[in-house]
Every structure is written in C-alpha cells, then in structure tokens.
Amino acid sequence: MNFQTCSRRLALLVSISLSLFSLPALAVVNQSVEFPDAQDVRSVTLVIDGDDTVHEAEIKDEEDSRKAVFVLPDGSEGKSAVLHAEIDGEKKSYELRITALPFVIGAASVAVLPASPGVTGFGSATDNSAWIIVGTIAGGLVNSGFLEDIANQSSADASDLLSTLGVTGITSFADADDNAFASGLSLGFGWQFADESRLWLDYDAKFVSDMKMSAGADGNVPMSASMIDAESVGKAETNIQSFRIGYSRWFSPTSQFGYRLALGSVSVESDLSFMSTIRVDGSDVDSFSGEDTLDDNGVIYGAGLEWAPRNSRMPDLRAGVMYEQISKLNAFDDNKMWALTAYVSVGLRLGSRRQP
C-alpha cells in the first residue's frame, strides 16, 4: 500500500469520525420569524416557557421583509414562548408556540408576525397595558426603639422610688425586645403599562405581635438585712396602616427580576400594658397595673427586589422582599420604625388590548 492510498483512507476515516461526532449538534429546532411590514427590526429575543435562557436571533434583511432566525434546543417544539422585538423603534412582545420540527436544517416552519393588525402564525401580539387589582400577603420583622426608651425610663423611675425610701446600694436594669413578627395584607388598584411595569395605590395593614420590656431596680433596706426591688414588665401591641403609591419595573424586557418602590402616609398605633410590683425579700408587698395608647402619623417609604415567572399567564403571581422605613414619630420618642418583609402578590388585569 503506497503512501498516497494511506493518506486518502486516513482522510476518509477522519471525515467520517467528525461527521459522527457532530451528529448531536443537528438535534436543534430552527425557527424563523418574518416581519414583512417592518422597515427596521432589532433586539429580537425569545424566552421559552419554563426556561430562563434568553435566545437571541440572527436578523436577516431580505428583499421585502425582515427575518429573525433562532436556533433552539431539541425538545422546544410545541412549547409556549414569548418573543420580544424592537420593530420600527417600538418595543413589542408576542406570545407564540414553537412549531418547527427537530433535526430540520434551515427555515423549517416560517411564522409571519405582521407589524399591522391581524396577527397570523403561531402567536398573537398582546399589549399588557390594563387596569389591575393587586392583592398581597406579607410576613417579616418590624423593629422600633420606643420600648427601649420606655424601659430605660422605667428603670430610672424605679431607682428614684427606692432612693426616696432611703434604700441603699441601688442597682438598676432595663431590657427591651423591640423586634417582633409582623403579618400584613394589602389591596391595591392601578395601571400596568405595556412593558409590565406597574403604578398603583394600595392600602396596607401590618399586624405586629407583642413587643416586650422589663425594667426595675433593687437595693438594701436600711437597718436590716432585707432586700427590696421594684420591677415593671410591659408589652406593646402595634398596628401599622398606610396608604402607599407603589411602582415596580423589570430590570430588562426578558428579566425575571425587577425592583419595587413605595411611598405613602402611615398611621401607627400601639397599645401598651404594664404591671409594676414592689417586693421585699421576694414577697410582693404592692403592685399596680396600667394601660396607655400611643398613636402618630408619618411618612413610610421603601424599596424591594421582586421576582416573577415571565409567562404572561393569569393570575399574575409575583414574590419579593421589601424594606420599609417610617419617619420619626413624636409620640414614639422620635424613634424610626422599620420593617423587612417577604411578600407574595397576585395581580388581576381588568382586560388587555391587542397591539395596534
């Protein structure tokens, strides 16, 4: 066998091996989308339902139309998807279903999405702008420093009381837990724009579990070996109600993450109850209880991170984390309250419109 024959057989073997190795790469779906009435088509992307991958198209200018060609993974046929495109300077979205057959090279199934009314092919263009109703449930942490101030004042009052009784060796303490779990409900009404950003007004109510405090002082009874102490324990049930203007927007047309902002007026009401006890050598000698209500109005503002599956299905489900802060309130010793909550919201569009 001469050298030339060996070279030919080796080249044939390499060619067959490369062909076999590349066979899996043929397992794709080629989907073309034509825009026959458009003059300029840019930024064409496709997101398949259930997959976060953003597929970018190769845009081709033909004689009387514009064409976007996608190379999609095997198994895409029959799945729903959302196509985003900038057509003649206007951003539009299309709900569609992949119809190309796998393992077909080239434009397997051309779908025409006109820029004019009367959408044909596998999708329909939708304008997501509409009036919306948004309901939200939330849960998280609320913090305020006003119970700490009350505990410190109670500790000082207890020390003064024992001092007037002539008690010596006085020591005092104060302890407050201003962190409490809060559950919340809100209902809002507003407008959703074509890019699914939202502007709405809502009523929000947060129900805060008990915040607790304890404070007191103790010392030695003069001319005896007895100990005397004065202690106060209390709790606060707080409700926070607000009317807020909210705004949310996605980071990009295909992103599943966005931001949320809120600004509004707030009313804070806290019902305080306490019990004060004086003991000598551990035995109660006197006690009294009391109640008080603190309430004030202020401003609430906040920001958060929001997530949602971008499938344009109803109802529109979104989830996120929100940080809110309340301005200084005079009735609460100029303390600022803040809340960190996780939420889930459900939005209902009151009708939708077709793209013109």
Side-chain angles (χ1 to χ4, degrees):
M1 182 181 300
N2 58 34
F3 176 77
Q4 186 176 7
T5 303
C6 289
S7 299
R8 289 176 179 176
R9 290 185 177 181
L10 180 60
L12 179 61
L13 179 61
V14 171
S15 176
I16 293 174
S17 299
L18 291 176
S19 298
L20 292 175
F21 182 79
S22 63
L23 277 178
L26 299 178
V28 295
V29 177
N30 289 268
Q31 183 70 69
S32 298
V33 181
E34 289 187 357
F35 303 88
D37 297 333
Q39 300 299 317
D40 182 42
V41 177
R42 299 181 182 181
S43 303
V44 184
T45 59
L46 186 76
V47 179
I48 301 174
D49 189 14
D51 186 358
D52 296 338
T53 304
V54 178
H55 301 278
E56 296 186 0
E58 178 186 358
I59 302 176
K60 299 181 179 181
D61 290 336
E62 298 191 344
E63 183 177 351
D64 55 355
S65 68
R66 305 293 179 267
K67 179 187 291 185
V69 180
F70 294 95
V71 178
L72 306 176
D74 185 27
S76 302
E77 183 185 13
K79 291 186 176 181
S80 299
V82 177
L83 182 142
H84 301 277
E86 184 177 336
I87 304 171
D88 295 333
E90 183 179 357
K91 293 182 179 179
K92 295 186 178 183
S93 299
Y94 300 87
E95 297 176 357
L96 54 86
R97 186 173 298 277
I98 308 301
T99 58
L101 297 175
F103 300 105
V104 177
I105 307 298
S109 179
V110 177
V112 179
L113 302 180
S116 56
V119 176
T120 62
F122 52 46
S124 60
T126 59
D127 180 355
N128 290 317
S129 59
W131 293 106
I132 56 169
I133 297 176
V134 181
T136 303
I137 58 174
L141 184 69
V142 168
N143 173 276
S144 173
F146 78 94
L147 267 187
E148 182 179 353
D149 291 344
I150 293 176
N152 290 331
Q153 184 61 50
S154 297
S155 176
D157 292 342
S159 296
D160 291 342
L161 174 62
L162 296 184
S163 179
T164 59
L165 295 176
V167 175
T168 60
I170 298 174
T171 59
S172 60
F173 69 92
D175 181 50
D177 184 6
D178 281 298
N179 296 312
F181 177 78
S183 58
L185 296 171
S186 68
L187 181 64
F189 178 76
W191 180 257
Q192 177 170 288
F193 299 94
D195 60 358
E196 296 186 358
S197 60
R198 291 175 172 180
L199 181 66
W200 72 93
L201 175 68
D202 71 4
Y203 166 76
D204 178 79
K206 290 182 175 63
F207 309 98
V208 186
S209 59
D210 293 346
M211 298 176 177
K212 297 180 173 61
M213 56 78 62
S214 61
D218 58 39
N220 301 312
V221 178
M223 309 299 292
S224 74
S226 296
M227 294 286 296
I228 184 172
D229 67 87
E231 181 183 21
S232 296
V233 295
K235 64 180 182 179
E237 297 179 357
T238 304
N239 292 324
I240 303 172
Q241 302 180 63
S242 59
F243 286 95
R244 307 174 302 183
I245 296 175
Y247 179 74
S248 65
R249 187 180 183 88
W250 304 114
F251 290 128
S252 72
T254 58
S255 175
Q256 289 185 307
F257 290 91
Y259 61 88
R260 183 173 182 173
L261 305 174
L263 174 66
S265 62
V266 64
S267 172
V268 181
E269 181 177 301
S270 187
D271 293 324
L272 305 175
S273 60
F274 63 89
M275 171 72 73
S276 296
T277 305
I278 298 177
R279 303 182 186 92
V280 175
D281 295 333
S283 299
D284 294 353
V285 296
D286 194 11
S287 66
F288 60 93
S289 61
E291 296 180 349
D292 195 5
T293 298
L294 302 178
D295 64 87
D296 206 346
N297 299 316
V299 176
I300 186 170
Y301 48 93
L305 179 66
E306 192 166 72
W307 171 88
R310 301 290 297 276
N311 54 16
S312 298
R313 293 178 179 175
M314 297 298 294
D316 188 350
L317 183 66
R318 303 189 181 188
V321 177
M322 190 81 174
Y323 175 82
E324 292 177 294
Q325 186 161 298
I326 299 174
S327 61
K328 292 182 179 180
L329 302 174
N330 293 332
F332 294 85
D333 295 331
D334 289 335
N335 280 286
K336 287 185 177 181
M337 294 184 181
W338 57 262
L340 181 63
T341 56
Y343 66 87
V344 176
S345 68
V346 177
L348 296 177
R349 288 198 297 267
L350 305 181
S352 60
R353 302 183 302 174
R354 295 287 179 186
Q355 289 267 19

